[in-house]
Amino acid sequence: MISAPLTRDTWPIATCMHGFAAVGRDGTRLHDAPPETWDAMFAQIENLGFTAVEIADSHIRPSELTPERRGLLKQIATSHSVELTSVHVQRQSVIEPGRGEENLAHAHAEIDAAAELGMRVFSTGLHQPFSEAQRRALWFWTAPGPVDPDDEDTRALAVRRLRELGSHAASVGLPMALEMYEDTYLGTADSAVRLIEEIDLDNVGLNPDIGNLVRLHRPIDDWREMHEKTLPYAVYWHVKNYARDEAGDGSWFTSVPTSMELGLINYREVVARAIELGFRGPFLMEQYGGDSLGVCATNRDYLRTLLPASA
């Protein structure tokens, strides 16, 4: 977490990488792209007024870059006045059947890379790769995906492996944020809080991304109650919003991405509450569909109006 005094102008607000293709038109992965491609990406980020970015390992895996390429990534970002705020290891659960140990090793490597690059936080979760149905769907959250088993032994394994990662992160001076995500042990407010308490490390907290739950085409818990339970544990925060509607009799549900200001979650309310509870971590602007980067910039400007002059 950040201890220095913060203002609405200095609070770290990063953009996600959803607006950039993980694989170029010529088939080259962004991870392997030439410096010119990276430079163009950071130029776009800078041109929209962002001073920070989250590196998603779906796009670039810092631990798998050569030391020279890692240095180049930071050098290019710095030339555009963009900070590498975090690395987010996604869809590589430490309890994924058949791949848990491999994913654990990858997460350890990304923690070391994040520390080397001077990042503020290491971010991960328990969500797994998309199911075939999710890959076919227009919006992946409308189709069923993997589900963590209702099994105490598996949950205990998740706790042990996440505690191991948290201890590693602490040893290099990083907080570790666990992202809330449906059908995982981080899929409800109660289960997520219980998991943090079971891990029981001061540097391990939540990424209370309630937007991941608001968008589901199924019954959900009240967004106010979910925030009230999870915000005391927040160390990093992916923020996004969805317009949601549902039938009074529970016969149908629908959601689509929208801006932070217009969606179901009242961020004016929950941001004020988070700060009241002591949240001082970075924000990450996230958006699916359309001009993701542009909407993230709009959301950033809105968020600045919600932040205090000092905190």
Side-chain angles (χ1 to χ4, degrees), residues 70-115:
R70 268 198 305 277
L72 182 62
L73 178 69
K74 185 166 185 177
Q75 177 186 335
I76 294 173
T78 301
S79 74
H80 291 284
S81 301
V82 175
E83 174 191 298
L84 305 179
T85 293
S86 60
V87 62
H88 182 56
V89 173
Q90 58 186 17
R91 305 199 179 281
Q92 295 177 81
S93 170
V94 295
I95 54 169
E96 179 183 348
R99 295 182 59 90
E101 292 185 0
E102 179 182 343
N103 292 343
L104 178 65
H106 170 65
H108 275 298
E110 293 299 349
I111 289 171
D112 286 331

Side-chain angles (χ1 to χ4, degrees), residues 32-33 52 69 92 145 168 171 225 236 239 254 256 271 286-287 295:
D32 300 316
R69 288 269 288 174
Q92 295 177 81
H168 182 182
S171 74
E225 294 176 3
Y236 181 51
V239 290
T254 188
V256 291
V271 168
E286 192 176 18
Q287 174 73 16
V295 176

Side-chain angles (χ1 to χ4, degrees), residues 9-275:
D9 296 319
T10 62
W11 207 299
I13 301 177
T15 186
C16 68
M17 299 186 73
H18 295 337
F20 303 101
V23 180
R25 293 177 181 174
D26 64 355
T28 302
R29 296 190 306 159
L30 185 60
H31 178 91
D32 300 316
E36 294 78 12
T37 300
W38 286 0
D39 185 72
M41 176 182 72
F42 284 111
Q44 285 194 62
I45 292 170
E46 179 187 26
N47 288 341
L48 279 172
F50 276 106
T51 58
V53 66
E54 176 188 86
I55 299 298
D57 73 345
S58 56
H59 288 63
I60 297 174
R61 292 187 167 195
S63 70
E64 296 179 9
L65 297 171
T66 64
E68 293 76 18
R69 288 269 288 174
R70 268 198 305 277
L72 182 62
L73 178 69
K74 185 166 185 177
Q75 177 186 335
I76 294 173
T78 301
S79 74
H80 291 284
S81 301
V82 175
E83 174 191 298
L84 305 179
T85 293
S86 60
V87 62
H88 182 56
V89 173
Q90 58 186 17
R91 305 199 179 281
Q92 295 177 81
S93 170
V94 295
I95 54 169
E96 179 183 348
R99 295 182 59 90
E101 292 185 0
E102 179 182 343
N103 292 343
L104 178 65
H106 170 65
H108 275 298
E110 293 299 349
I111 289 171
D112 286 331
E116 179 185 328
L117 290 166
M119 294 183 176
R120 295 177 186 258
V121 63
F122 170 70
S123 177
T124 190
L126 290 172
H127 38 317
Q128 297 183 33
F130 289 133
S131 66
E132 182 58 36
Q134 287 177 312
R135 285 192 290 269
R136 291 196 307 265
L138 173 61
W139 302 115
F140 61 84
W141 55 85
T142 64
V147 178
D148 284 351
D150 182 14
D151 172 72
E152 285 303 315
D153 289 340
T154 305
R155 185 182 179 102
L157 177 62
V159 170
R160 289 196 302 272
R161 287 179 173 174
L162 291 173
R163 185 184 296 129
E164 178 183 323
L165 292 177
S167 295
H168 182 182
S171 74
V172 295
L174 287 172
M176 183 171 90
L178 299 179
E179 181 182 11
M180 295 184 67
Y181 199 90
E182 75 268 13
D183 297 328
T184 73
Y185 299 137
L186 293 154
T188 68
D190 289 337
S191 181
V193 166
R194 177 187 161 200
L195 191 71
I196 296 301
E197 292 177 344
E198 288 169 333
I199 294 168
D200 193 25
L201 292 175
D202 290 342
N203 70 310
V204 177
L206 287 177
N207 167 2
D209 189 349
I210 303 301
N212 286 340
L213 308 178
V214 162
R215 69 191 177 193
L216 298 175
H217 288 202
R218 65 174 89 159
I220 60 170
D221 294 332
D222 183 88
W223 59 267
R224 294 177 185 86
E225 294 176 3
M226 288 191 283
H227 281 98
E228 188 65 23
K229 291 177 179 179
T230 59
L231 287 177
Y233 300 84
V235 295
Y236 181 51
W237 197 355
H238 286 186
V239 290
K240 56 181 177 285
N241 218 343
Y242 294 83
R244 178 181 174 89
D245 197 9
E246 58 187 59
D249 63 2
S251 60
W252 57 265
F253 308 87
T254 188
S255 66
V256 291
T258 188
S259 69
M260 282 179 66
E261 189 173 10
L262 296 178
L264 179 68
I265 298 169
N266 180 352
Y267 275 101
R268 185 175 301 276
E269 177 181 329
V270 295
V271 168
R273 181 59 174 152
I275 293 170

